[in-house]
């Protein structure tokens, strides 16, 4: 059974601190995506990682992909309150590029 | 502006009633998807369509039906056979890299 596991599921951070969210998956895949969801809202695409060793950065967020380890990380640098949201990773398991399998999400709360 | 629209934003269903959720996109994407999200949960795939007049069941298709008569449109019907339909429904379409773009969602409540 395919599994996409995120940890931690809940993360409470202080402003200015650094932290990493982990996304492990149980089958071969070269494509991984990160999304952000604000409470009551839809999902917003953050990063698209399409190969082993891919690294993408946007502001205080950096995502990486290690397909051999079946692991992606989302690193948060010097957290600010505006980063408070739920973050999902999703894995593309189909050669035809169809449905994604989502993790359960990591809810991040940043406080001063 | 290109994007995905869903309507209505809120929908209330009575027992035994079928309801249809609308999803339209002007991104010229071939593939479209319907997901269900329950509180505190991730997304679960209901149906997806890679091309007009073709669609596939996802993990939780029972009690739902779809059609894909036009590239731009992928409506979802929640039938009376779906016993626990209260959830947040998200429609998406995907580009060449299978990056999925989501609509604003429809929140369905059973009365």
């Amino acid at each position: 059974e395919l599994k996409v596991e995120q940890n931690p599921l809940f993360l409470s951070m202080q402003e200015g601190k650094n932290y990493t969210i982990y996304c492990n998956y149980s089958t071969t895949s070269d494509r991984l995506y990160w999304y952000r969801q604000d409470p009551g809202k839809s999902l917003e695409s953050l990063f698209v990682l399409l190969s082993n060793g891919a690294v993408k950065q946007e502001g205080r967020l950096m995502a990486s992909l290690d397909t051999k380890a079946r692991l992606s990380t989302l690193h948060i640098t010097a957290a600010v309150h505006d980063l408070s949201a739920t973050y999902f990773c999703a894995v593309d398991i189909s050669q035809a590029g169809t449905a994604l399998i989502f993790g359960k999400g990591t809810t991040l709360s940043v406080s001063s | 502006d290109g994007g995905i629209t869903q309507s209505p934003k809120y929908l209330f269903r009575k027992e035994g009633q079928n309801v249809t959720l609308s999803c339209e996109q002007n991104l010229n994407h071939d593939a479209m998807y319907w997901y269900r999200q329950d509180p505190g949960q991730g997304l679960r795939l209901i149906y997806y369509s890679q091309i007009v007049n073709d669609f596939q069941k996802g993990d939780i298709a029972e009690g739902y039906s779809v059609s894909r008569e036009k590239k731009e449109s992928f409506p979802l019907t929640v039938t009376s056979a779906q016993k626990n339909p209260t959830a947040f429904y998200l429609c998406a379409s995907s580009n060449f890299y299978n990056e999925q773009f989501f609509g604003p969602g429809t929140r369905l409540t059973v009365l």
Side-chain angles (χ1 to χ4, degrees), chain A residues 1 3 9 15 22 24 26 35 42-44 50 52 61 68 75-76 79 86 94 96:
Chain A
E1 179 188 351
K3 291 184 179 179
L9 296 181
E15 283 190 327
Y22 297 89
N24 291 89
S26 61
Y35 291 87
S42 185
L43 274 71
E44 172 191 358
L50 299 177
N52 185 41
L61 300 177
K68 294 180 181 179
H75 186 72
I76 302 156
T86 298
S94 169

Side-chain angles (χ1 to χ4, degrees), chain A residues 31 33 35 37 40-43 45 48 50 88 92 97-100 102-104, chain B residues 33 35 37 41-43 45 48 50 88 90 96-100 102-104 107:
Chain A
R31 301 184 178 204
Y33 311 80
Y35 291 87
Q37 185 177 37
K41 303 294 185 181
S42 185
L43 274 71
S45 179
V48 178
L50 299 177
F88 291 94
D92 183 354
T98 55
L100 302 182
F102 283 80
K104 290 186 180 296
Chain B
Y33 311 81
Y35 292 93
Q37 186 178 33
Q41 299 295 316
L43 276 65
L45 181 67
Y48 66 97
Q50 291 180 280
F88 189 42
L90 289 161
F96 175 79
Y97 299 104
N98 208 23
E99 179 183 13
Q100 297 196 0
F102 287 83
R107 197 166 298 277

